[in-house]
Amino acid sequence: MSTIYLIRHCETTGQAPDAPLTPGGEEQARRLCTQLLELPITHLISSPYRRALDSIQPLATALKLPITREDALKERQLSAVPLDDWQDHLRQTFFDPDYTCPGGESSRIATERITRVVDEALQQHDGSILVTHGNLLSLYLHSIDPTFGFEESLQLKNPDIFKVTRIQKQTIIEHLVAF
């Protein structure tokens, strides 16, 4: 049996890779640290985006653990161009894993990259925390539980925590309440 934790970053000021946390997001990061200190954490792995790194930095400081930056945990790019009806396109990606917008990444490709990181952590780094983003996290959850779809993805919070346990070849997801 192996267990890791998937975390959606805290509240942010925007979607750009260098967008910082809001003041409320900074407080969430401190509270998240307090909550996660109760867990047997061995590794911290994060998206390279600032909002993800800043969300886990208080825990890294408290545990004196380095944060490994993992490009495969960055958010999925839905499109390279602005879309007025982006939520309609996003909804479509839950029904058609190969659907892509101009310059965007399909759900299939995005799911494959997060699944590789999760599988590696479950095999090699029991007790890891992986910090990522809402859409990518939703796609992973959808791959494990197809009833977790677009509407459920809209219910994710900042931050949000999921415990992922692998027992033999079965993956079990448990939604933990943040604070």
Side-chain angles (χ1 to χ4, degrees), residues 14-33:
Q15 297 300 309
D18 62 347
L21 298 178
T22 64
E26 291 172 1
E27 175 60 26
Q28 289 172 341
R30 289 188 289 275
R31 292 176 66 197
L32 185 64
C33 170

Side-chain angles (χ1 to χ4, degrees), residues 54-105:
D54 289 353
S55 294
I56 204 65
Q57 186 59 56
L59 183 64
T61 300
L63 295 175
K64 296 180 175 61
L65 286 174
I67 301 172
T68 301
R69 295 176 188 216
E70 175 54 65
D71 282 344
L73 292 176
K74 66 184 178 181
E75 183 63 287
R76 182 263 288 267
Q77 183 171 351
L78 180 62
S79 174
V81 298
L83 300 170
D84 290 335
D85 53 351
W86 65 270
Q87 281 196 328
D88 293 335
H89 290 281
L90 187 59
R91 179 181 285 109
Q92 182 64 28
T93 69
F94 279 86
F95 297 108
D96 180 357
D98 296 311
Y99 178 81
T100 57
C101 297
E105 180 181 32

Side-chain angles (χ1 to χ4, degrees), residues 4 16-17 29 33 35 45 47 59-60 72 74 83 105 109 114 121 126 130-131 139 148 152 163:
I4 64 165
C33 170
Q35 182 175 355
I45 305 167
S47 158
L59 183 64
K74 66 184 178 181
L83 300 170
E105 180 181 32
I109 298 298
I114 189 172
D126 186 40
L130 281 61
V131 185
L139 292 172
F148 187 97
E152 290 74 18
K163 180 180 178 180

Side-chain angles (χ1 to χ4, degrees), residues 6-172:
L6 287 171
I7 298 177
R8 182 184 188 196
H9 63 78
C10 298
E11 184 181 84
T12 185
T13 61
Q15 297 300 309
D18 62 347
L21 298 178
T22 64
E26 291 172 1
E27 175 60 26
Q28 289 172 341
R30 289 188 289 275
R31 292 176 66 197
L32 185 64
C33 170
T34 301
Q35 182 175 355
L36 297 175
L37 279 171
E38 301 171 7
L39 303 174
I41 304 306
T42 61
H43 292 82
L44 302 175
I45 305 167
S46 176
S47 158
Y49 289 7
R50 180 175 175 187
R51 60 189 177 269
L53 292 165
D54 289 353
S55 294
I56 204 65
Q57 186 59 56
L59 183 64
T61 300
L63 295 175
K64 296 180 175 61
L65 286 174
I67 301 172
T68 301
R69 295 176 188 216
E70 175 54 65
D71 282 344
L73 292 176
K74 66 184 178 181
E75 183 63 287
R76 182 263 288 267
Q77 183 171 351
L78 180 62
S79 174
V81 298
L83 300 170
D84 290 335
D85 53 351
W86 65 270
Q87 281 196 328
D88 293 335
H89 290 281
L90 187 59
R91 179 181 285 109
Q92 182 64 28
T93 69
F94 279 86
F95 297 108
D96 180 357
D98 296 311
Y99 178 81
T100 57
C101 297
E105 180 181 32
S106 73
S107 292
R108 184 179 313 280
I109 298 298
T111 301
E112 287 172 357
R113 70 178 160 87
I114 189 172
T115 299
R116 280 192 303 272
V117 177
V118 169
D119 287 349
E120 181 180 313
L122 284 165
Q123 291 170 7
Q124 299 176 12
H125 304 295
D126 186 40
S128 291
I129 287 182
L130 281 61
V131 185
T132 191
H133 305 271
N135 185 237
L136 190 66
L137 175 58
S138 294
L139 292 172
Y140 178 75
L141 296 171
H142 180 70
S143 75
I144 301 300
D145 176 5
T147 66
F148 187 97
F150 174 74
E151 296 301 325
E152 290 74 18
S153 75
L154 297 177
Q155 303 306 311
L156 290 180
K157 306 285 187 239
N158 294 92
D160 225 333
I161 307 168
F162 291 85
K163 180 180 178 180
V164 181
T165 304
R166 173 96 26 97
I167 302 172
Q168 296 174 346
K169 293 186 179 193
Q170 182 181 10
T171 302
I172 300 164

